[in-house]
Amino acid sequence: MAGGLLLSAAAAALLTAALPAHSPSSGFDNPPPDKIVIDVATVNGSGCPEDTAAVAVSADNTAFTVTYSEYLAQAGGGSDPTAYRKNCQLSLLVHVPQGFTYAVASADYRGFASLQPGATGTQKASYYFQGSSDTAYRSHQFTGPYDDNWQATDTTDWAQLVWAPCGVQRNFNINTELRVSAGTTSPNDVSFMTMDSTDGDISTVYHLAWKECPETP
């Protein structure tokens, strides 16, 4: 999965925001016309074994998508004791068009959950820049009985967006996690949660915001 990916400005914007946020309605919502290059430095985690995660950008440069194919957590029955928690960390090096910076405006997570009565499933995400102590955390919980598709959206107001530093190259890290607890479920019953779309892949969409960097004297 490591390697350079030529992505649209949208992809870069996504990676920049250490905090998923609400798409702004005023100013700087148009991405720069130039393409950006994203180098996937590392992909690590039990939820994204080698060659099971992919990165893509929308044609209109407004969204960045990470797709998974083996991201599933489960508990109960004969489940492996370590299967209750799965995670994936993407470390991305984003080359931004000169004169621009970006932030994640929002992040949409989708999947399917089959939770027995008394069981719970949790989706978590965190976002941070290399070398920064500021980390944004988001968490969404689902309670059984539940047997359906699920969706969670992380949002942040425009004024609270965390922008990539202008003129500095920093890796942007996205950490995601799925966790399932059997709770009070019968020991023989299995509960599971996965981030996947109707085609069987896990698809996470990040919506981007852009703005121009201040001119240097």
Side-chain angles (χ1 to χ4, degrees), residues 65-191:
T65 303
V66 180
T67 302
Y68 307 91
S69 59
E70 295 186 16
Y71 206 151
L72 180 147
Q74 68 178 49
S79 301
D80 188 297
T82 64
Y84 78 98
R85 177 186 178 275
K86 294 296 177 70
N87 77 295
C88 184
Q89 175 168 312
L90 296 174
S91 181
L92 305 167
L93 182 61
V94 183
H95 304 274
V96 186
Q98 186 173 0
F100 285 86
T101 184
Y102 50 92
V104 174
S106 66
D108 299 325
Y109 297 89
R110 296 181 178 87
F112 184 85
S114 178
L115 303 173
Q116 301 294 331
T120 59
T122 305
Q123 180 269 322
K124 296 181 179 181
S126 63
Y127 314 82
Y128 64 97
F129 290 104
Q130 178 186 16
S132 173
S133 60
D134 295 330
T135 302
Y137 297 94
R138 293 291 185 274
S139 180
H140 305 273
Q141 188 172 83
F142 302 84
T143 302
Y146 192 103
D147 190 30
D148 203 349
N149 295 317
W150 63 267
Q151 177 174 341
T153 299
D154 295 338
T155 61
T156 299
D157 292 337
W158 172 259
Q160 296 177 318
L161 287 174
V162 177
W163 300 92
C166 288
V168 179
Q169 189 68 69
R170 298 279 178 82
N171 281 28
F172 183 71
N173 298 291
I174 303 172
N175 252 324
T176 57
E177 177 184 322
L178 290 179
R179 186 186 295 257
V180 173
S181 171
T184 58
T185 299
S186 168
N188 296 323
D189 292 337
V190 176
S191 294

Side-chain angles (χ1 to χ4, degrees), residues 185-210:
T185 299
S186 168
N188 296 323
D189 292 337
V190 176
S191 294
F192 68 87
M193 185 174 184
T194 181
M195 280 196 285
D196 62 8
S197 56
T198 54
D199 62 0
D201 288 334
I202 298 166
S203 185
T204 300
V205 179
Y206 299 85
H207 304 277
L208 315 170
W210 288 89

